[in-house]
Amino acid sequence: MHDAIPIPYLRETMLFLAVAGLLIPLLQRLRFNQIFGFLIAGALLGPLGLASLAHEQPWLQWVTFPSHEGFAALGELGVMFLMFTIGLEMSLQRLVSLRRWVFGVGTGQLLVSAAAIGLLARAAGATTVASIVIGFSLAFSSTAVVMQLLTRRREVGTPLGRASFSVLLLQDLAVAPVLVLAIVLGADVEPLTATGLALVKGLAAVVLIYLIGNLVIRPLFRQLSLPGQPDSLMALTVVFTLAIAVATQLAGLSLALGALLAGVLLSETEFRHEIELTLAPFRGLLLGLFFFSVGMGFDVRALVTEPMLLPAAVAGLFVLKAIVLAPMLRLAGLERGAAVEGGLLLGQAGEFGFVVLAAAIAAQTIDADAGRFAMWVIGLSLVATPLVARIGQALRVAIDRRWWSGSLAAADSATPGGHVVIAGFGRVGRMLAEMFDRESTPYVAIDADPRVVAAQRDAGRPAHFGDASRPELLRRLGLENAVALVVTIDEAAPALRIVNAIRSEFPQLPIFARAVDEKHARQLSAAGAEAVIPETLESTLRLGALVMTRAGVAEADVDRLVREERDRRIAGETVDAINAAR
């Protein structure tokens, strides 16, 4: 009998899954920051935590991670997923619509904050190179925490929400060059030369994105993605991401940077939203892998040995970044109170800082102790963010009471209303789109056939690939702010499934549907469609109206007869409609 081949990192994998299975529900129930929860868990169970006591208490070796190296490969998966999701959120359309905020306020905040933090690090004794890395690492803010707070407060669409999103979007764009810089600065060359090398490699990466995106990615996904087969899309995404990651590693960069580039490539395709939803169930677990791995490098004794320095550093970080950002937000057009609140809301350090610091430590760009201290500052600032955000809200109220102005609020309320979501982009859906185009009515379409979506996107229409019966997917297309949903699918069962799913999630949303026949129309009406148009019935009624008019029947009588016949055939008896829907 052949010897069994051992599965690498099996113990570490099983132990992490057990910890995550207990930790994630607990953190959600306690409404505790999940990022910091995994960091603390990694620190407690890692080689600098309880694992260091395993020689005194042997049982601890079964529930701890004595070696960071044994978990490093798993942590790499987590950081790749994090960087991929960052890239997937990037969009040329978003950049164009928010370009003044992104490239104005966002760029200014990042550069000025990094310079100020770097100067303080240099004054504290860090080297010039380490000061640059630490400055940029702490200049980032947390996209996950800030957007979660804004969503919970329903302020994503407010001027403050849009401004915050713009600053975070610029930081997303800056991750790649900063990550390259952190790695290259560790090389044995002069800082100026290293910076030049980083820019050259960054430019080469952009060229690679352009070439692959135009020549390979979109045609590949269009040919191999199958309608109703999310597993094939998932497999394609994983293979493509790993291929790009390996290519960047062979080029002397990192796997994480390759995952970011893969996400950027896919962000401009019609498959973006479907990929986001396919990966959503794994998001918490894979991000937990990364933050748990980072936490394993933390020395929990620092909380005891530095009881004043760490809190002071966190408080100073919030104050410094608020001083930098608040005037920029005010100059860009926000009210005084909103500008101060925005400065504090974005005053924490972000998860991207962990990525940059981990890469810099691995490349020996910065001292490991200095890097771990900066990581503690990032982690503690994430925990402090909800409290600081509440302080920011209180300050905004106080400031607005003294310097109130209604001009911006009035301008924001005048923003144009919603759009129409078209579910099914076949013959009828495209006819509607042409009508909407002529009248400049905004719309977005979704279809489960990648070939249809590809053809329409090539024609310049806003079409996306996915299953329209998934409310979470339609949310990403802005269904919550839409004026109506139009279901144009010519198959009875899928159309009915869409109406049932959407009506349960959005009870007030107007739904208009195309029906195959009268029975289908009754089912859709019973499911909650506001108006239903059966194709065969309408063509028959139209033909009958023409004949009766030609035969001399008065136009008013023809209209009345057509209306009564339509109502009788579509509405029918209430009980019949309900039974048909079942």
Side-chain angles (χ1 to χ4, degrees):
M1 182 177 179
H2 296 289
D3 294 335
I5 300 176
I7 301 176
Y9 312 118
L10 178 60
R11 190 190 73 85
E12 289 83 357
T13 302
M14 294 182 64
L15 181 56
F16 170 75
L17 291 175
V19 171
L22 296 173
L23 191 61
I24 292 177
L26 179 62
L27 293 175
Q28 290 177 343
R29 187 171 301 174
L30 298 177
R31 295 186 177 181
F32 191 75
N33 185 281
Q34 186 168 309
I35 294 174
F36 194 73
F38 275 106
L39 290 173
I40 291 296
L44 289 175
L45 301 179
L48 300 178
L50 293 176
S52 63
L53 305 176
H55 63 283
E56 300 175 4
Q57 301 291 334
W59 64 272
L60 285 175
Q61 64 181 330
W62 295 101
V63 293
T64 58
F65 299 84
S67 171
H68 187 276
E69 287 72 22
F71 198 81
L74 299 177
E76 191 70 31
L77 290 176
V79 70
M80 287 176 62
F81 179 81
L82 174 64
M83 300 302 288
F84 177 78
T85 56
I86 293 171
L88 205 58
E89 287 296 323
M90 295 183 186
S91 168
L92 181 61
Q93 185 178 9
R94 290 184 179 183
L95 289 177
V96 171
S97 63
L98 298 171
R99 56 189 179 278
R100 181 171 65 90
W101 289 90
V102 173
F103 297 107
V105 179
T107 302
Q109 179 276 329
L110 183 65
L111 294 178
V112 177
S113 296
I117 296 169
L119 288 174
L120 290 176
R122 187 72 179 91
T127 65
T128 301
V129 171
S131 299
I132 294 173
V133 174
I134 292 174
F136 277 109
S137 299
L138 298 184
F140 287 120
S141 302
S142 174
T143 302
V145 173
V146 172
M147 294 309 296
Q148 184 180 30
L149 285 173
L150 290 172
T151 301
R152 188 181 302 166
R153 286 156 41 174
R154 298 183 178 180
E155 295 183 3
V156 175
T158 65
L160 174 60
R162 291 196 295 271
S164 300
F165 176 79
S166 301
V167 173
L168 294 169
L169 186 57
L170 186 279
Q171 294 178 4
D172 291 349
L173 292 171
V175 171
V178 171
L179 184 60
V180 172
L181 188 65
I183 297 172
V184 177
L185 284 176
D188 188 19
V189 292
E190 293 297 324
L192 185 60
T193 304
T195 303
L197 289 174
L199 292 176
V200 170
K201 289 189 175 183
L203 180 60
V206 171
V207 173
L208 181 65
I209 289 176
Y210 178 81
L211 293 176
I212 294 180
N214 282 278
L215 298 179
V216 178
I217 303 310
R218 198 184 297 267
L220 178 67
F221 273 71
R222 288 177 176 178
Q223 290 296 324
L224 298 182
S225 296
L226 301 175
Q229 296 291 331
D231 49 348
S232 66
L233 184 63
M234 179 72 168
L236 276 174
T237 302
V238 172
V239 170
F240 168 65
T241 302
L242 290 176
I244 297 296
V246 170
T248 56
Q249 187 180 50
L250 293 176
L253 301 173
S254 69
L255 291 171
L257 180 60
L260 176 73
L261 301 183
V264 171
L265 278 170
L266 290 170
S267 69
E268 291 298 328
T269 70
E270 59 270 31
F271 303 96
R272 170 191 166 191
H273 297 298
E274 188 71 16
I275 291 172
E276 287 178 332
L277 287 179
T278 303
L279 294 175
F282 308 98
R283 179 180 176 85
L285 189 63
L286 290 173
L287 291 182
L289 264 176
F290 167 63
F291 293 116
F292 192 90
S293 176
V294 171
M296 289 175 66
F298 286 8
D299 189 348
V300 293
R301 291 169 291 187
L303 295 174
V304 178
T305 58
E306 303 288 354
M308 300 299 294
L309 185 57
L310 272 173
V314 173
L317 179 66
F318 274 101
V319 172
L320 175 62
K321 294 179 73 173
I323 291 174
V324 169
L325 182 57
M328 295 182 183
L329 293 174
R330 175 61 182 151
L331 289 173
L334 282 189
E335 293 281 1
R336 290 182 178 88
V340 172
E341 182 184 4
L344 290 172
L345 182 65
L346 295 166
Q348 77 290 121
E351 53 272 8
F352 307 153
F354 288 126
V355 180
V356 175
L357 288 171
I361 292 174
Q364 298 182 342
T365 305
I366 64 173
D367 179 70
D369 291 336
R372 293 191 184 104
F373 182 85
M375 287 183 176
W376 268 119
V377 173
I378 296 174
L380 292 174
S381 71
L382 293 174
V383 176
T385 297
L387 174 61
V388 175
R390 285 196 291 270
I391 294 174
Q393 284 182 305
L395 287 175
R396 177 180 183 173
V397 171
I399 294 171
D400 286 346
R401 284 175 180 172
R402 185 169 183 177
W403 292 289
W404 182 83
S405 171
S407 59
L408 284 178
D412 183 61
S413 64
T415 301
H419 54 289
V420 178
V421 177
I422 303 175
F425 215 33
R427 174 177 55 86
V428 176
R430 291 195 295 273
M431 290 177 62
L432 286 174
E434 291 172 0
M435 296 169 59
F436 295 158
D437 286 336
R438 286 196 294 270
E439 294 299 323
S440 299
T441 300
Y443 69 90
V444 62
I446 182 171
D447 197 282
D449 190 336
R451 295 168 297 180
V452 171
V453 175
Q456 294 307 307
R457 285 183 72 90
D458 289 342
R461 291 198 171 104
H464 297 270
F465 170 77
D467 183 357
S469 66
R470 302 173 69 181
E472 63 272 21
L473 177 58
L474 293 183
R475 279 194 180 94
R476 296 176 183 270
L477 300 180
L479 189 64
E480 291 175 331
N481 300 317
V483 296
L485 170 70
V486 185
V487 181
T488 67
I489 296 175
D490 58 358
E491 297 181 47
L496 183 61
R497 186 172 66 249
I498 291 171
V499 174
N500 278 318
I502 301 306
R503 178 54 70 215
S504 63
E505 293 287 331
F506 303 93
Q508 304 302 321
L509 178 70
I511 300 178
F512 301 90
R514 163 199 182 192
V516 177
D517 51 30
E518 297 154 48
K519 178 183 177 182
H520 187 210
R522 289 193 295 270
Q523 292 175 332
L524 292 172
S525 296
E530 181 176 310
V532 182
I533 306 298
E535 284 192 350
T536 54
L537 176 61
E538 288 302 315
S539 60
T540 302
L541 292 175
R542 178 62 178 162
L543 181 61
L546 290 173
V547 173
M548 287 187 290
T549 302
R550 184 67 173 175
V553 180
E555 185 174 344
D557 291 335
V558 171
D559 291 341
R560 176 180 54 81
L561 288 170
V562 169
R563 185 171 59 255
E564 290 176 353
E565 186 66 12
R566 180 188 294 114
D567 292 343
R568 184 181 71 82
R569 288 184 173 274
I570 293 180
E573 296 294 331
T574 303
V575 174
D576 291 342
I578 295 174
N579 289 335
R582 292 175 180 172

